[in-house]
Amino acid sequence: MARKTGFVAAVLAAALIGVSPASPALAANPYERGPAPTTSSIEASRGSFAIAQTTVARSSVSGFGGGTIYYPTSTAEGTFGAVAVSPGFTASQSSVSWLGPRLASQGFVVITIDTLSTLDQPASRGTQLLAALDYLTRTSSVRTRIDAARLGVMGHSMGGGGSLSASVSRPSLQAAVPLTPWHGTKSWSSDRVPTLIIGAENDTVAPVSSHSEPFYTSLPSTSDKAYLELNNASHSAPTSTNVTVAKYSISWLKRFIDDDTRYDQFLCPNPSGSAIQEWRSTCPYS
């Protein structure tokens, strides 16, 4: 919100000194990264950015169990937003590792984490996601590539529940994408972070009727939110390459971490298709 306010102030200041607010230098969104998106570009296995990765040893960090950082190799377009991704109950980062290069190549710094214990509950996973973001922005080898005001969280199952917990703990986050999330808490009325919840129609571990759907419904109606239910999919759908999960996660993160309205076309009006059982949202988004 602060950066949006600053952008509006710049336009007003330009008007006072006689500069047209339509001037490209002012009208262009300074957080856009990469070329104009297409359906093909967000469904592709890789985006336009060449990437590299580095391992974060558990012994070198505190607050989470280490992980892997994926990041664009070029800084010609400036800094990037960052996303931390947590696995679910009993799982390691390998279960969400496919998201690392997929998201990073679209213009994000991404850390997929291991948790302190594979048995950690959602609230702990939320705390660990925030610890991973703090590590990324404060001490990691890629910290200078990151805009610390542009951060998001994702996670699968209890990691998805953890992303909801993290959002409540840190409302300054720009986006959250819980993937077939599980959490014992059902009401998230205090969550103000723009959130895309992805559930799965045939999920028997975190059934949408008792997890994803009530989570979505409880989020404030005044907030930017969406609910995608994957057609004929199971709880584990987000743990391997999934074009539908990727394209809408990318679109959500771009739209809210980068304020990139070029991605509105993929989110609003509500998408449909054979891979989508249901989509709800508060579109148009603010």
Side-chain angles (χ1 to χ4, degrees):
M1 182 60 72
R3 65 177 188 263
K4 293 178 182 177
T5 302
F7 179 73
V8 171
V11 173
L12 291 174
L16 290 174
I17 62 174
V19 177
S20 168
S23 170
L26 290 174
N29 173 10
Y31 308 107
E32 287 181 3
R33 299 291 180 267
T38 64
T39 298
S40 294
S41 74
I42 61 171
E43 290 184 346
S45 61
R46 292 292 182 271
S48 62
F49 291 90
I51 61 169
Q53 67 184 71
T54 184
T55 300
V56 179
R58 181 190 184 102
S59 60
S60 68
V61 296
S62 62
F64 67 106
T68 306
I69 301 172
Y70 304 84
Y71 60 96
T73 55
S74 172
T75 57
E77 293 191 44
T79 55
F80 298 94
V83 183
V85 190
S86 169
F89 189 65
T90 74
S92 69
Q93 64 166 311
S94 62
S95 67
V96 291
S97 62
W98 73 275
L99 286 163
R102 192 108 180 198
L103 298 177
S105 65
Q106 295 285 346
F108 294 103
V109 175
V110 181
I111 182 168
T112 58
I113 70 169
D114 280 316
T115 47
L116 295 171
S117 165
T118 59
L119 306 181
D120 287 334
Q121 295 297 297
S124 174
R125 291 170 190 268
T127 301
Q128 292 178 62
L129 283 167
L130 297 179
L133 288 176
D134 290 342
Y135 168 75
L136 271 185
T137 58
R138 298 174 184 175
T139 59
S140 76
S141 61
V142 298
R143 62 189 180 279
T144 59
R145 298 172 183 263
I146 301 170
D147 180 348
R150 296 161 49 207
L151 305 177
V153 288
M154 296 180 68
H156 172 245
S157 192
M158 284 194 180
S163 69
L164 291 166
S165 292
S167 296
V168 171
S169 297
R170 190 171 296 180
S172 61
L173 292 173
Q174 299 296 308
V177 184
L179 306 170
T180 57
W182 191 103
H183 206 300
T185 298
K186 305 305 178 184
S187 177
W188 298 94
S189 59
S190 63
D191 187 349
R192 299 294 186 272
V193 175
T195 300
L196 167 63
I197 294 176
I198 300 180
E201 181 185 15
N202 297 335
D203 191 337
T204 58
V205 176
V208 294
S209 61
S210 56
H211 292 272
S212 292
E213 290 181 329
F215 297 165
Y216 172 79
T217 302
S218 71
L219 292 168
S221 60
T222 53
S223 295
D224 292 312
K225 63 176 183 175
Y227 170 65
L228 161 61
E229 186 173 313
L230 301 170
N231 186 43
N232 196 31
S234 70
H235 184 68
S236 61
T239 63
S240 60
T241 301
N242 186 301
V243 172
T244 305
V245 169
K247 70 186 288 187
Y248 294 114
S249 296
I250 290 165
S251 297
W252 194 263
L253 297 172
K254 283 288 193 177
R255 174 61 177 82
F256 292 102
I257 292 181
D258 289 354
D259 291 335
D260 196 336
T261 56
R262 298 179 300 174
Y263 288 80
D264 271 338
Q265 62 182 302
F266 308 113
L267 301 168
C268 187
N270 291 346
S272 61
S274 60
I276 298 174
Q277 170 64 23
E278 183 181 4
W279 187 292
R280 309 181 209 171
S281 74
T282 55
C283 131
Y285 302 112
S286 59

